[in-house]
Amino acid sequence: MFHTLFPFHILYRAKTYCYEMAVLFDEQYGSTTLNQRYVCTATGAVKIIENKKETFQSIGHAFRSVFLPQGYPESVSEDYLLYQIYDTIQAFASSITGTLATQAMLKGVGVGDESATALAATMTWILKDGTGMLGRILFAWLQGSSLDCDAKRWRLFADMLNDFAICLEISAPFFPLSFTFIVCTAGVCKSIVGVAGGSTRAALTLHQARRNNMADVSAKDGSQETLVNLAALICSLLMVPIVAEQHLLVWALFTIFTGVHLWANYSAVTSVVMETVNQARLHILVQDFFRRDTVSLLSVKETNMREPVIFKTNWRFNIFMGSQLRLLSDRLDDLAQLQHLYSVEKYILGLNTVSRKIHIVLRRDSTEIDQLMAAFQAEVINVLTQMQQNGVVGVGSIDHRLGFTAVNENAINEILCSSFHTAMAKNDAYEVSRTSLELTKNLFPIFFSKLQNSGWTTSHVLLGADEWRASWGSAMQ
């Protein structure tokens, strides 16, 4: 029975094959040079032959294993290495300036001063920490939802605020009467830095982790930062005795390292290439969509390079997603008109030409694609208004300097654009909303297709929608 189940001639053939072909398997660790071969010997045994690496190759592999995510570079985004280089530079510079601030703080609370008391120093430190805790809670309440949407801008803001806080701490000993107030202000700033910096770091880590390995990427980032802080600590041990009483030298070092810190942070955030659509990147894409006659939209990389990371985008109409119905109008007739206009849509867009605000009410069953469509309509209003004010498009007519052929070659879209500019000139908010909606219905499918073909992620968006939802039309049934 056993002989019928196990064909021994297969084993014989495998053994014969082993004699003829020495190499059985070739094994490699990821994309590294670490590899090994399995070969058979004359006796039929299997032997493992490892790649003989040079010493520097072995050190490099050990460094990658300790400080880089497993599977690097395939397991992370393409911008990972460049970002981490700049992040390492800024972390070193920040550690140095932080040491200078610590020295100044200790001096300010009375270390080395015989007349100072431990109680006074303790009270100052408690007040500093207490105000910082309150600042952390308040900032997270006010800005927590916007940190995901503008991760790069808030990341840079956090580091700039951190430099300001360090400047306050170094300055505090020179103002003994206001010392407690200054250090408390610095504590609030640093607490905001902790919230904004930590939250945006998590958002960037999520972007960089391409194998659902966010924990590994975050852990290795922590290892890199620890190594940098250790190097900065050694430098600080050598530096502090030299600059202890040299105030001019302290300020000179602070200025130099702060400059390096800001440059490295700006370079780091601008090197990040995010594929998700936020309001700033959408504004750039819609501008390009209308102004250029091209088959595809701007690439993901080029759009990210144009994204503002210091100041907010200058919209003609500020956009508020997920607003309450009462913000559209306080008149029943206006709300009834808008409800009829958007009866088949899953959002209602209302604008105020006086306050320059666009409020978007989302229906309860709206999806992220509906949010993207609503934001697209809001950007159509902004872009066409901006072109009109810049003289690119004349009121009541379409100038062929407008590069988008779907407008120039489509008579309906030309008429709609002309009606839009006439309504904007008359401050007719309802007509602006109507014509922009018709343009959106005609152009959004084209835009969405180009968005997908250009490599953008459309499964989720970061448009900062609030949580208000309403029901009307078919959603009421």
Side-chain angles (χ1 to χ4, degrees):
M1 182 67 179
F2 179 78
H3 288 280
T4 60
L5 291 176
F6 186 83
F8 280 94
H9 65 279
I10 294 179
L11 178 61
Y12 174 77
R13 289 179 181 176
K15 202 169 183 180
T16 305
Y17 178 79
C18 182
Y19 284 123
E20 293 174 355
M21 299 293 294
V23 179
L24 297 177
F25 302 98
D26 198 352
E27 194 173 41
Q28 185 174 358
Y29 188 80
S31 60
T32 67
T33 58
L34 181 62
N35 60 73
Q36 52 193 14
R37 287 183 173 180
Y38 294 78
V39 299
C40 61
T41 64
T43 61
V46 177
K47 182 180 179 181
I48 301 176
I49 302 177
E50 295 186 11
N51 178 38
K52 298 297 183 181
K53 304 185 295 297
E54 300 294 336
T55 302
F56 72 90
Q57 289 180 317
S58 302
I59 296 174
H61 177 70
F63 181 87
R64 286 164 62 115
S65 299
V66 174
F67 294 104
L68 294 177
Q70 184 178 4
Y72 172 87
E74 289 84 4
S75 62
V76 293
S77 59
E78 293 182 0
D79 55 18
Y80 176 83
L81 181 60
L82 186 59
Y83 174 83
Q84 292 302 127
I85 290 173
Y86 287 123
D87 190 53
T88 298
I89 296 173
Q90 70 86 19
F92 180 83
S94 180
S95 295
I96 296 295
T97 55
T99 300
L100 298 175
T102 301
Q103 180 192 18
M105 286 287 292
L106 292 174
K107 183 179 179 181
V109 296
V111 174
D113 186 356
E114 295 181 356
S115 62
T117 64
L119 177 62
T122 302
M123 293 299 294
T124 300
W125 219 265
I126 290 175
L127 288 173
K128 172 180 174 294
D129 289 345
T131 52
M133 293 174 186
L134 293 175
R136 184 181 297 111
I137 295 172
L138 184 62
F139 178 78
W141 170 54
L142 293 174
Q143 297 295 341
S145 60
S146 66
L147 297 176
D148 281 306
C149 302
D150 285 315
K152 292 193 284 187
R153 188 167 61 86
W154 281 113
R155 174 71 177 172
L156 185 60
F157 168 81
D159 287 296
M160 294 172 66
L161 188 62
N162 183 63
D163 290 332
F164 175 70
I166 291 174
C167 181
L168 288 178
E169 290 178 342
I170 296 176
S171 305
F174 297 99
F175 304 94
L177 296 179
S178 304
F179 179 82
T180 301
F181 174 77
I182 293 175
V183 297
C184 287
T185 304
V188 172
C189 292
K190 284 199 169 184
S191 67
I192 294 174
V193 170
V195 175
S199 302
T200 53
R201 180 182 292 273
L204 294 175
T205 301
L206 180 62
H207 155 72
Q208 292 171 339
R210 293 305 165 95
R211 289 185 181 174
N212 294 323
N213 57 337
M214 183 175 174
D216 185 29
V217 174
S218 180
K220 296 302 171 59
D221 183 67
S223 297
Q224 295 169 23
E225 187 170 354
T226 301
L227 180 64
V228 172
N229 289 336
L230 180 61
L233 178 63
I234 296 173
C235 293
S236 298
L237 289 174
L238 301 174
M239 178 188 66
V240 169
I242 300 174
V243 304
E245 299 298 330
Q246 304 293 327
H247 300 303
L248 290 178
L249 185 57
V250 168
W251 283 108
L253 289 172
F254 170 76
T255 302
I256 293 171
F257 281 104
T258 298
V260 172
H261 181 248
L262 292 175
W263 164 78
N265 270 293
Y266 180 82
S267 300
V269 296
T270 53
S271 70
V272 175
V273 180
M274 305 189 81
E275 300 88 356
T276 49
V277 177
N278 67 358
Q279 201 70 59
R281 292 190 281 273
L282 180 63
H283 182 73
I284 296 169
L285 288 168
V286 175
Q287 279 187 325
D288 176 73
F289 180 69
F290 272 88
R291 291 180 176 177
R292 293 200 311 169
D293 180 14
T294 56
V295 176
S296 60
L297 292 176
L298 279 176
S299 67
V300 175
K301 184 175 183 179
E302 189 174 356
T303 304
N304 276 266
M305 289 176 63
R306 294 188 186 184
E307 181 183 4
V309 294
I310 298 178
F311 302 106
K312 293 184 67 174
T313 302
N314 184 24
W315 282 283
R316 293 298 187 270
F317 289 84
N318 289 319
I319 303 169
F320 300 91
M321 182 84 68
S323 297
Q324 301 178 59
L325 272 167
R326 64 181 180 83
L327 297 176
L328 297 181
S329 177
D330 57 358
R331 297 178 65 245
L332 181 60
D333 292 343
D334 293 340
L335 289 177
Q337 275 188 319
L338 288 173
Q339 182 188 20
H340 177 72
L341 179 62
Y342 290 88
S343 59
V344 297
E345 306 301 331
K346 294 185 179 180
Y347 68 91
I348 295 176
L349 184 147
L351 74 157
N352 189 318
T353 57
V354 178
S355 63
R356 295 283 173 174
K357 291 180 180 179
I358 293 177
H359 288 285
I360 298 173
V361 176
L362 297 173
R363 209 167 75 173
R364 193 177 303 278
D365 58 342
S366 62
T367 65
E368 293 197 331
I369 303 302
D370 298 314
Q371 293 183 25
L372 185 60
M373 180 176 174
F376 177 83
Q377 182 182 348
E379 291 298 344
V380 167
I381 296 172
N382 273 296
V383 170
L384 291 181
T385 303
Q386 183 179 3
M387 287 181 171
Q388 180 180 359
Q389 293 177 352
N390 293 341
V392 176
V393 181
V395 175
S397 65
I398 289 294
D399 191 324
H400 281 272
R401 285 177 293 176
L402 190 64
F404 184 43
T405 54
V407 172
N408 289 335
E409 296 179 359
N410 189 312
I412 295 177
N413 290 334
E414 281 202 40
I415 294 171
L416 287 171
C417 284
S418 178
S419 300
F420 173 89
H421 292 296
T422 302
M424 186 62 70
K426 295 180 179 179
N427 287 330
D428 188 341
Y430 175 79
E431 189 63 18
V432 169
S433 185
R434 186 192 69 79
T435 53
S436 63
L437 175 60
E438 293 301 317
L439 274 170
T440 298
K441 289 179 178 179
N442 294 340
L443 300 179
F444 181 72
I446 303 172
F447 175 81
F448 187 73
S449 176
K450 289 188 175 187
L451 196 68
Q452 291 179 311
N453 294 335
S454 298
W456 290 92
T457 299
T458 56
S459 59
H460 64 280
V461 292
L462 298 172
L463 299 174
D466 206 348
E467 293 302 310
W468 287 100
R469 298 294 185 271
S471 298
W472 65 87
S474 59
M476 293 285 291
Q477 301 175 359

